[in-house]
Amino acid sequence: MNRRRPLGIALVAVALLAALLLPAAAFAKRERFDTRVFAHVGRPGFPALAYVHPDGRVYEGTYTNPTGDDRPSRVLEYDGHGKQLRSWTIEGQDLSAEHGVQVAISDARGRLVLLDRTPARALSLDPDSGRQRTYATFADLPTCPPGQTGPHCSPALQDLAPVPDYAAWGRDGSLYVTDFQQAVIWRVPPGGGKARIWLADRRLDGNQFGTAGIVLAPDRQTLLFSQQSSAGGGDGDPTTGKLYSVAIRGNGDAGHIHRIWESDPGDGPDGFALARSGHIYIALAGSNQLALIGSHGREMARFPATPQTGENGSPVPFDTPSSVMFRGRRLLVANQSFFTGDRRNQVILDVEAREPGEPVFIPGDARAERR
């Protein structure tokens, strides 16, 4: 009699045989900090924050070339596998001056919010139409008289131009933007317009290495922000960076600043991201490392333990890692190569975190409002 094996049993047998033939590495879990290249960033290069859009795509802006160039900045779009899909050239930049653009965040309609260096402005970019429009402008502030911090001046010791760096939404639709050189945090009103000084403090004066990343905490009443250095002399050792918190009071004003963590000298902490656990992953642009900070400000780990030179499983070394953003249980790190200008190292790195990130708050987004 012709006996036929049931189809379901046959399929299971095939699957088991295929599993036995695959190498064990195919089933191994990636270790925390295992690092791979997600995407290469073409000219003009010098990638800033790799922004993970709620739709799953990744948007990358090209930032300042310290040796100068006459190319306008670009925004690059990648799919979830690191394949470049589209790009947009930034309009209206002053190419005779230092220029660069950072994809800071998106809005509830999916439009990207870009921070442009020259002129100092925020742009809205619609990926569907490609339309660019000015969302906000940032003033070139005079320095404050001795002993003062405002109301319409920069408390920095040196008179430097505005550099909008990172941004975070508030619950009411205000946009909070750090200024890398003017020792202030700006507030852009809901819907855009002229930015106003929200927080001005000597502790934000890092001279040319000032206030960088900013994230809204899960309580949606507190902003966390990083300081690359205290070169202006406002908070202890001028060579160390800091991580601070500041409350958004009920009337919208800034509360008191609290220091959460202090880096080692020369670390240059830049962009950072929050995990759901409360852990903070921060890029150390000066020491070419990532730091893992616990929810109470205790530094838990560094990767690599010593500055990276291409070992530890990474095909390229950490070379001015400038930002961190979660993509699932992994981190996307923009490798800017700011000081060496090595085009081979100007990539977006994929770093295993082995824990999920805290979702970025976007006002009006139904997914965010349910949390």
Side-chain angles (χ1 to χ4, degrees):
M1 184 172 65
N2 182 18
R3 295 180 180 274
R4 295 188 177 181
R5 183 175 298 173
L7 179 60
I9 296 176
L11 290 175
V12 170
V14 171
L16 289 173
L17 178 61
L20 291 172
L21 293 175
L22 285 173
F27 298 95
K29 289 184 178 180
R30 289 175 61 180
E31 296 297 323
R32 175 178 274 173
F33 297 130
D34 176 56
T35 303
R36 306 174 185 183
V37 171
F38 174 78
H40 290 266
V41 178
R43 292 181 183 274
F46 298 91
L49 172 66
Y51 178 70
V52 181
H53 196 280
D55 68 9
R57 293 186 177 179
V58 176
Y59 294 90
E60 176 62 71
T62 64
Y63 208 63
T64 300
N65 182 340
T67 63
D69 69 70
D70 58 0
R71 295 169 179 258
S73 302
R74 298 169 65 206
V75 172
L76 312 174
E77 178 189 61
Y78 300 90
D79 67 12
H81 301 287
K83 178 183 177 182
Q84 186 178 324
L85 303 175
R86 297 179 292 176
S87 69
W88 299 267
T89 299
I90 301 303
E91 302 164 358
Q93 288 186 311
D94 181 357
L95 303 184
S96 66
E98 286 189 331
H99 55 280
V101 71
Q102 172 134 280
V103 183
I105 204 162
S106 58
D107 66 15
R109 293 175 58 183
R111 296 171 298 193
L112 304 177
V113 178
L114 316 177
L115 297 178
D116 195 8
R117 178 163 182 154
T118 312
R121 57 183 176 166
L123 298 172
S124 173
L125 169 62
D126 186 339
D128 293 329
S129 65
R131 183 187 176 213
Q132 301 176 32
R133 68 177 183 88
T134 299
Y135 184 80
T137 56
F138 304 92
D140 188 349
L141 300 171
T143 54
C144 296
Q148 296 185 28
T149 59
H152 304 295
C153 57
S154 164
L157 294 179
Q158 187 175 353
D159 189 3
L160 297 172
V163 179
D165 203 16
Y166 287 82
W169 292 113
R171 295 177 65 182
D172 66 347
S174 297
L175 187 69
Y176 297 89
V177 180
T178 58
D179 192 315
F180 196 56
Q181 294 189 158
Q182 294 197 123
V184 300
I185 294 177
W186 299 96
R187 177 185 172 273
V188 179
K194 184 178 180 180
R196 304 288 182 183
I197 297 172
W198 182 72
L199 175 65
D201 194 284
R202 282 287 311 283
R203 285 169 285 187
L204 278 61
D205 184 8
N207 199 281
Q208 296 183 49
F209 299 94
T211 315
I214 188 167
V215 173
L216 184 69
D219 67 6
R220 299 185 187 164
Q221 298 175 342
T222 307
L223 288 167
L224 309 179
F225 64 94
S226 61
Q227 187 74 20
Q228 277 209 338
S229 79
S230 298
D235 193 5
D237 189 336
T239 69
T240 62
K242 281 84 175 177
L243 185 67
Y244 296 108
S245 68
V246 59
I248 304 172
R249 291 175 171 165
N251 63 0
D253 291 345
H256 295 294
I257 298 174
H258 298 280
R259 188 201 293 181
I260 299 172
W261 167 80
E262 182 174 8
S263 79
D264 290 342
D267 275 342
D270 206 330
F272 63 96
L274 304 182
R276 287 186 182 176
S277 64
H279 293 158
I280 300 168
Y281 293 81
I282 189 165
L284 306 179
S287 58
N288 294 323
Q289 296 172 304
L290 296 182
L292 171 58
I293 303 168
S295 56
H296 298 292
R298 181 176 63 87
E299 188 171 310
M300 301 169 62
R302 286 195 177 207
F303 177 78
T306 57
Q308 189 155 337
T309 57
E311 305 94 17
N312 304 306
S314 175
V316 296
F318 277 25
D319 187 355
T320 327
S322 65
S323 62
V324 181
M325 189 165 187
F326 270 94
R327 185 172 180 269
R329 301 172 69 89
R330 305 195 304 277
L331 307 167
L332 292 188
V333 178
N335 215 34
Q336 195 168 91
S337 189
F338 182 81
F339 300 103
T340 66
D342 191 333
R343 299 287 182 181
R344 297 169 297 178
N345 295 345
Q346 291 179 357
V347 300
I348 301 170
L349 295 171
D350 177 324
V351 181
E352 182 64 46
R354 298 199 70 180
E355 62 173 323
E358 176 67 29
V360 174
F361 176 71
I362 299 174
D365 187 327
R367 291 166 294 187
E369 297 300 337
R370 285 197 296 268
R371 285 184 59 80

